[in-house]
């Protein structure tokens, strides 16, 4: 009886830790430690990240750069006319409030054409409702859940922020508590 009570308590703590993890927004430091400058491969950096609704982009740069949010045609051509927004004060924090693609360039000199541009693809936030998945072979009374999308072989690089630390800590705590509950059984 005591083991069952302890297990229930540990399961409750694990569930709380997981919920805490889901609710935390992530600050993505654009370019990681390289920041917003000419030395970073932003295509590689962006492809190693998962950007969710509720997260933030944080651009850190010196006075020789700026951050312009632009349309797709201006991103493709490095056009600086009619930007959606312009920021010149570092650090620039940009909230990701909706799903879809967003485009950012440096508008100074030829920086954009030298690779100082990034496309961000924002997905639904983890705390939002799940998207319905239509069955592929007709209706089913027991639809199977979609496969997990996490990659064990290549985790994304660490992002310095309290939110990501909260997510990591919540995940470790949850899995540690679940492992302890299994041992006690």
């Amino acid at each position: 009886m005591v083991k069952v009570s302890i297990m229930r308590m540990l399961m409750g703590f694990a569930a709380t830790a997981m919920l805490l993890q889901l609710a935390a927004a992530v600050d993505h430091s654009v370019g990681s430690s390289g920041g917003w400058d000419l030395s970073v491969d932003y295509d590689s950096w962006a492809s190693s990240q998962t950007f969710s609704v509720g997260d933030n982009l944080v651009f850190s740069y010196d006075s020789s750069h700026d951050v312009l949010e632009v349309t797709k045609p201006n991103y493709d051509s490095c056009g600086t006319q009619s930007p959606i927004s312009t920021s010149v004060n570092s650090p620039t924090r940009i909230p990701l409030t909706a799903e879809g693609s967003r485009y950012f360039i440096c508008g100074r000199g030829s920086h954009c054409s030298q690779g100082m541009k990034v496309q961000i693809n924002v997905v639904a936030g983890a705390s939002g409702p799940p998207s319905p998945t239509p069955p592929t072979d007709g209706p089913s009374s027991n639809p199977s859940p979609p496969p997990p999308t996490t990659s064990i072989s290549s985790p994304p690089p660490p992002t310095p922020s309290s939110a990501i630390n909260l997510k990591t800590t919540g995940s470790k705590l949850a899995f540690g508590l679940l492992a302890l509950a299994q041992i006690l059984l």
Side-chain angles (χ1 to χ4, degrees):
M1 187 69 169
V2 173
K3 283 185 180 181
V4 172
S5 295
I6 291 172
M7 175 139 162
R8 285 183 181 161
M9 187 169 61
L10 289 173
M11 295 295 277
F13 285 136
T16 301
M18 288 179 178
L19 288 173
L20 192 63
Q21 175 190 8
L22 291 175
V26 175
D27 284 346
H28 297 274
S29 296
V30 176
S32 295
S33 61
W36 185 237
D37 69 19
L38 291 166
S39 68
V40 176
D41 177 354
Y42 292 103
D43 289 337
S44 294
W45 173 79
S47 68
S48 72
Q49 307 290 309
T50 300
F51 304 99
S52 299
V53 172
D55 289 353
N56 300 292
L57 297 177
V58 180
F59 291 83
S60 297
Y61 51 97
D62 64 34
S63 61
S64 66
H65 304 298
D66 60 11
V67 178
L68 277 62
E69 183 169 5
V70 297
T71 61
K72 171 79 165 118
N74 281 350
Y75 175 82
D76 291 339
S77 68
C78 288
T80 59
Q81 62 279 11
S82 304
I84 296 167
S85 67
T86 301
S87 301
V88 296
N89 297 317
S90 179
T92 297
R93 184 182 181 98
I94 302 194
L96 303 176
T97 58
E99 291 180 63
S101 295
R102 296 186 62 183
Y103 307 93
F104 301 92
I105 66 171
C106 179
R108 305 274 173 96
S110 60
H111 294 181
C112 176
S113 62
Q114 292 175 346
M116 206 168 161
K117 63 187 208 173
V118 64
Q119 175 181 341
I120 303 297
N121 297 313
V122 184
V123 298
S127 60
S131 301
T133 306
T136 55
D137 48 287
S140 169
S141 59
N142 288 326
S144 59
T149 58
T150 57
S151 171
I152 295 173
S153 61
S154 58
T159 303
S161 82
S162 59
I164 191 70
N165 290 338
L166 179 61
K167 286 181 83 170
T168 303
T169 302
S171 179
K172 288 179 182 176
L173 177 61
F175 288 114
L177 290 171
L178 290 174
L180 182 58
Q182 289 293 324
I183 291 169
L184 293 173
L185 283 178

